[in-house]
Amino acid sequence: MSERDNLFGVAHEYDSVRVAGLDEDGVGDAAPRPRRSRAKKPKKQRPFWQELPILIVIAAVIAALVVTFIGRPYVIPSQSMEPTLHGCPGCTGDRIYVEKLSYDFGDPKPGDVVVFVGPSDSWNRDYHSNRSSNAVVRGIQDFFSFFGLVPPDENDLVKRVIAVGGQTVQCCDAQGHVEVDGKPLNEPYAQYLEPYVPGLPFAVKTPMGLSINPQGREFGPVKVPDGNLWVMGDNRNESADSRAHIDDEYSGTVPVKDVRGKAVFKIWPPGRIGPVRAQDPQTN
């Protein structure tokens, strides 16, 4: 074959020519077939009755976290905070939401409406457990209390902070006002059913304990220990507050560690829904 032929691409017989799909022995390999894309089958959705237990568990965990770290509802059992909060034996008392976060970063301040557990036997003398005597029912109540659906088994009380640790509180000035560190308080929320009678105390110590006279106003002076609070109900003639426990180990004050939280909102009944306002009485 001439050099010219080679120039035009004619191969010499000894040149190797490969044909697609053939090996050196002339045997063809099977050409790879393209894979068919299979359509993915949509996942079969679980029926609702199978998902319901999971949803209940998730909701229960969220509720428990909220009750433990954020807040929970409480029922007002008495008239001691009238007219701010409504309550009385046998009636439909206000239900309030009490948040805990405020006191994770600071202590209660004068004017705050707080819920606390009775700190001494003096406060808890008339308390009766709200739990059933049946062990099974009591266990169910404790379980649901963990999620905020049943009240806790403790003597929870609601009052307003009047003075804090290091301050001295007493009553009264010439007009019958409570004083803190010698200055009369501005208390527009306070309700007095009886006029001020100079020299008439609210409570008198006797060998049998304290003798309470709801018509009296005078008490103190009492210096509030550090880490404690002096608390009073807004309905002054109907409130067994710090004044009624001045003979206990805390001189009627409440340790901050026994405070459950700050009342911020009335959630029931519908006609009384609204905020619970803190009003600092020491700011004139």
Side-chain angles (χ1 to χ4, degrees):
M1 185 175 292
S2 68
E3 184 177 353
R4 183 183 173 191
D5 292 333
N6 191 40
L7 290 173
F8 285 94
V10 179
H12 291 289
E13 58 185 9
Y14 51 79
D15 287 336
S16 174
V17 178
R18 300 297 302 272
V19 180
L22 298 178
D23 58 15
E24 293 182 354
D25 298 328
V27 180
D29 295 332
R33 296 180 180 179
R35 294 182 180 179
R36 294 180 182 178
S37 58
R38 296 182 180 179
K40 293 184 179 180
K41 294 182 180 180
K43 290 185 178 180
K44 189 176 180 181
Q45 190 173 4
R46 295 180 181 179
F48 178 73
W49 65 268
Q50 289 184 353
E51 293 185 346
L52 183 60
I54 299 175
L55 296 175
I56 292 175
V57 170
I58 293 173
V61 171
I62 293 174
L65 291 174
V66 169
V67 168
T68 302
F69 298 107
I70 298 178
R72 69 178 300 154
Y74 287 85
V75 179
I76 304 303
S78 72
Q79 67 272 30
S80 68
M81 283 296 292
E82 295 276 7
T84 304
L85 301 174
H86 177 63
C88 59
C91 71
T92 302
D94 287 347
R95 282 166 172 76
I96 57 175
Y97 190 77
V98 175
E99 61 93 359
K100 301 180 178 183
L101 294 178
S102 293
Y103 301 147
D104 287 338
F105 305 99
D107 290 337
K109 298 178 176 59
D112 288 357
V113 177
V114 298
V115 169
F116 59 96
V117 63
S120 67
D121 293 339
S122 175
W123 292 85
N124 300 320
R125 188 176 296 120
D126 296 325
Y127 174 71
H128 301 286
S129 173
N130 55 28
R131 294 295 188 258
S132 171
S133 58
N134 183 289
V136 175
V137 175
R138 185 168 61 251
I140 294 173
Q141 290 174 322
D142 289 339
F143 176 77
F144 282 109
S145 177
F146 188 70
F147 302 103
L149 300 176
V150 174
D153 187 19
E154 60 186 22
N155 184 25
D156 292 316
L157 305 160
V158 57
K159 303 289 183 230
R160 191 182 296 272
V161 178
I162 302 301
V164 298
Q167 295 185 319
T168 300
V169 59
Q170 64 183 16
C171 191
C172 302
D173 68 359
Q175 286 73 42
H177 297 140
V178 177
E179 296 178 297
V180 172
D181 292 338
K183 297 179 181 179
L185 301 184
N186 178 26
E187 299 187 282
Y189 48 77
Q191 174 176 277
Y192 289 98
L193 304 178
E194 302 289 342
Y196 171 53
V197 178
L200 187 62
F202 179 84
V204 177
K205 292 183 179 181
T206 71
M208 301 297 293
L210 278 184
S211 175
I212 307 297
N213 182 359
Q215 296 179 345
R217 293 195 193 183
E218 295 189 353
F219 66 87
V222 177
K223 184 169 183 178
V224 182
D226 289 336
N228 286 35
L229 309 168
W230 181 270
V231 297
M232 297 175 69
D234 290 354
N235 190 6
R236 295 293 162 82
N237 298 107
E238 299 289 342
S239 178
D241 45 44
S242 288
R243 299 170 296 168
H245 305 282
I246 56 175
D247 61 340
D248 73 1
E249 58 264 43
Y250 302 113
S251 299
T253 63
V254 175
V256 172
K257 65 180 180 61
D258 290 325
V259 173
R260 293 292 183 252
K262 178 181 180 180
V264 293
F265 209 80
K266 292 176 282 187
I267 58 177
W268 194 261
R272 290 182 57 81
I273 289 176
V276 179
R277 303 190 186 280
Q279 302 179 63
D280 187 350
Q282 299 183 25
T283 302
N284 296 322

